[in-house]
Amino acid sequence: MPSFILRHFVLLFLMAVGTVVAPAKTWAASPEVNLGYFNKLAMNGYDVMTYWQGGDPQKGDPEIMAQHNGATWVFLNDENRQAFLSDPAKYAPQYGGYCAYAASQNAVADVDPFAWRIWDEKLYLNYSPQVRRIWASDIDANIEKANEFWPDLLKK
């Protein structure tokens, strides 16, 4: 399938997911943070610091947690928890952990915890590895668009 058609298909899919899934989500905590559907944890229970340490993301230990921005974050160990709490704005994912590409398209979508990238010292998550490739084809422009949409995106 030509990449132009694939990109538009993915965009339409993300917009549909964003308009169908996001309003159905119950906001027990801050809507600015993407919470797992079943565990209600930020990053769906993955330790955000493992993204910054290289390798694959890893699930945190529910016994090692912290509150930030109205959400519960879990960590592998206390060192990771302390590092996060020292500067959560630096380590937390952009757009509340929602898909960065969807945000650039004025939509909200969930993420695959393994579809991520650190760019300019910021963590970005995407809906899937395929969407991450589309987003990465013009990262700076997509970030610029997402930054414009994000402040009002969750008010829709």
Side-chain angles (χ1 to χ4, degrees):
M1 182 181 301
S3 66
F4 174 78
I5 294 171
L6 178 63
R7 284 183 187 191
H8 281 79
F9 174 78
V10 169
L11 174 59
L12 290 173
F13 177 77
L14 280 175
M15 289 171 55
V17 168
T19 57
V20 173
V21 174
K25 200 169 201 175
T26 58
W27 302 113
S30 172
E32 290 86 22
V33 178
N34 186 5
L35 303 176
Y37 285 105
F38 300 107
N39 60 25
K40 300 299 182 201
L41 297 172
M43 301 290 296
N44 202 19
Y46 282 84
D47 180 344
V48 69
M49 297 309 295
T50 61
Y51 290 84
W52 296 92
Q53 296 165 350
D56 287 333
Q58 297 179 44
K59 286 275 191 175
D61 178 346
E63 299 291 317
I64 306 170
M65 65 176 82
Q67 298 296 314
H68 171 68
N69 200 21
T72 302
W73 303 71
V74 295
F75 304 90
L76 281 174
N77 53 52
D78 192 54
E79 293 79 23
N80 285 5
R81 184 175 72 84
Q82 292 301 326
F84 175 78
L85 290 173
S86 74
D87 195 355
K90 174 181 178 180
Y91 296 115
Q94 300 301 293
Y95 318 118
Y98 292 98
C99 176
Y101 183 72
S104 76
Q105 304 302 306
N106 201 20
V108 175
D110 206 359
V111 296
D112 175 344
F114 293 92
W116 61 280
R117 175 172 280 171
I118 293 176
W119 186 260
D120 283 342
E121 301 294 317
K122 294 180 181 176
L123 174 62
Y124 297 91
L125 301 170
N126 287 110
Y127 178 77
S128 69
Q130 295 82 5
V131 170
R132 181 186 58 203
R133 283 192 290 277
I134 294 168
W135 175 79
S137 68
D138 197 354
I139 292 176
D140 292 325
N142 285 322
I143 290 171
E144 186 176 323
K145 288 190 288 187
N147 288 344
E148 290 175 23
F149 292 130
W150 179 248
D152 297 318
L153 192 55
L154 295 177
K155 295 176 186 173
K156 291 182 176 183

